[in-house]
Each structure stands twice: as structure tokens, then as C-alpha cells.
Amino acid sequence: MNAFAAPALPVLILHTGDPDDTLRDRHGDYAQMLRHAAGLGPDAVHIVRADAGERPLAPAAYRAVLITGSPAMVTDREPWSEQAADWLRQAAAARLPMFGVCYGHQLLAHALGGAVDYNPRGRELGTQNIECLAAAAGDPLMAGLPVSFPAQLLHAQTITRLPAGAVALARSALDDHQLVRLAPGIYSAQFHPEFGPEFMRDHLLRYQPDYAREGLDAGALAASLKPTPTAASLLRRFLNLRQHATAQH
């Protein structure tokens, strides 16, 4: 390696919220979960707390962006969220590679002209099956993946209309937009690649009475949780795609 080579640019993790204190103390915050799932060390990332009003640097300061989930709702149009959406539009115009998860998935779609609302088919929870769509066959992120795989789901809102030019790559029983290519190099997942069964179990049992009021059996969902290695691989696959593309130029 050239001793004088410029250091790699960091990956921005746009932090949009956290679990409650009990779950965060036990499992870490959402930015750290995303960092671990992406295989990134602490020095390889720049974590920006968008939900606390922090602002990222210019898009040129980063090699890629990961956007966390959040207990917030995109439809609330919080000032910090709209500010983050404006930055994401700038980053998309600069062709910065991005991957959004759950809230990040919805925020990217909103920023790029899509629509977000409560899923009319209902809330999705627990380990559920993700089915790849025809468009996945020609997508570099999806190369070699099985046609269906389990993933951890935890959401009430969803993308109800894709932005112009976006393509759905995978769906679930209740959501047609589980995995989306919003533009070349810009992806998002409604499911959670960064969540493992342990976090999901603790969440479901902690909020079991709330889910029961919606007619959902969180205890049964907790008992049926399982590992989701294919879903968990997507963040690393995404970053490897970007490294390979950079190496070719």
C-alpha cells in the first residue's frame, strides 16, 4: 500500500432516533447497531444525530451514507427530519451512495419525491419472509441472494408511492416495498438488517401489552423469531459494491 495514500473517507451514519433507554442500554443505540452490521470500526464512520439537530458535512466529505431507523414518523414532518431530507436530496444529486433502513428507507423516499403513510395493511412485526421481485435478478446488490429470505420487521408506516425512477426489489406479505433501489447506488430496506433475534425478542416482550391492544400476539411473534443472515449481509454487500466501483475508476 502507498504510505502516502489519502485516508478513506468515512461513512456517514445519519442517526434518526433510538429505542427506549432500557433497550438501548442492553443492545446499544441504532447508530451502533448499524455500524456493527455494516462491519465498520468506530474510526470509519461519522455519526450525526439528525434527530438532535446535528447536520452532516457536505456530501463530498463521505464515501457512503447509512440512515438508521427511528421511533419517529416521517409523516410528522419534524423540522430536524425535513432538514435531513433536504440534505439527502443534495447527496442524491451528488450521486453519493446511500442505504436507508426503516425510517431511513421512508425518509429517502420522501426526500426524493415519493409518499409515506401508515401501512393500510397493518403493522409488521417479528421475523417475516421477504420475497425478491423480478427486478432483483439484474441488480448488483442482489446478485447471488436466494429468492426469499427471513428478515426482522418492526414498522407501522411504509412507502405508499415510490419516487419516479425507483424500483421495488423485494416485498413481504403486507408491504410491496420492502427493498427498493431509489436510484443507481441508492438503496433502502423497510426491514432491519441490523436487528438480531435478541433485540427483537426484548422489544416484543417489552411492548407486548401495547401490541395486544392492536390484536397482535407479541409473545407468539417473540417465540417464532429466528436468525436472518441474508438480510444482515446487505449493508456489507452495499459497502463492498461501492468499494469495488471506486477501485475500478
Side-chain angles (χ1 to χ4, degrees), residues 4-234:
F4 299 100
L9 294 175
V11 173
L12 169 65
I13 297 183
L14 198 62
H15 197 158
T16 64
D18 269 325
D20 66 32
D21 290 348
T22 298
L23 291 171
R24 185 180 60 201
D25 290 347
R26 189 173 300 167
H27 298 281
D29 65 33
Y30 284 160
Q32 297 303 335
M33 289 186 198
L34 215 54
R35 180 177 70 78
H36 287 302
L40 295 168
D43 295 338
V45 301
H46 179 209
I47 297 174
V48 172
R49 294 234 36 157
D51 60 328
E54 296 178 3
R55 300 191 181 203
L57 303 174
Y62 306 108
R63 67 182 177 95
V65 182
L66 304 176
I67 312 158
T68 73
S70 175
M73 297 295 176
V74 169
T75 55
D76 288 342
R77 304 289 191 266
E78 294 283 354
W80 65 264
S81 185
E82 293 297 286
Q83 176 179 292
D86 183 63
W87 189 91
L88 293 173
R89 281 189 287 273
Q90 297 174 43
R95 299 187 177 182
L96 183 61
M98 296 188 277
F99 196 114
V101 171
C102 198
Y103 190 91
H105 162 79
Q106 298 162 16
L107 185 62
L108 269 173
H110 164 63
L112 300 179
V116 174
D117 208 336
Y118 285 92
N119 189 345
R121 296 190 226 172
R123 188 188 296 271
E124 286 189 298
L125 293 173
T127 307
Q128 304 294 341
N129 192 57
I130 304 299
E131 177 188 353
C132 292
L133 300 169
D139 188 273
L141 180 69
M142 309 296 285
L145 291 186
V147 295
S148 66
F149 56 88
Q152 311 296 357
L153 273 60
L154 184 61
H155 71 110
Q157 292 202 335
T158 186
I159 297 173
T160 55
R161 187 187 74 250
L162 290 174
V167 178
L169 301 175
R171 67 184 176 194
S172 63
L174 301 182
D175 195 326
D176 295 331
H177 303 136
Q178 278 291 336
L179 187 62
V180 173
R181 184 181 66 241
L182 292 150
I186 302 178
Y187 294 89
S188 62
Q190 182 59 72
F191 58 84
H192 286 272
E194 78 281 23
F195 286 176
E198 298 81 9
F199 172 81
M200 289 293 298
R201 182 173 296 106
D202 284 352
H203 171 92
L204 288 167
L205 296 179
R206 182 163 176 77
Y207 291 99
Q208 190 168 10
D210 300 286
Y211 291 136
R213 286 190 284 273
E214 297 182 22
L216 297 167
D217 188 343
L221 289 165
S224 64
L225 291 168
K226 58 185 177 181
T228 54
T230 298
S233 75
L234 285 172

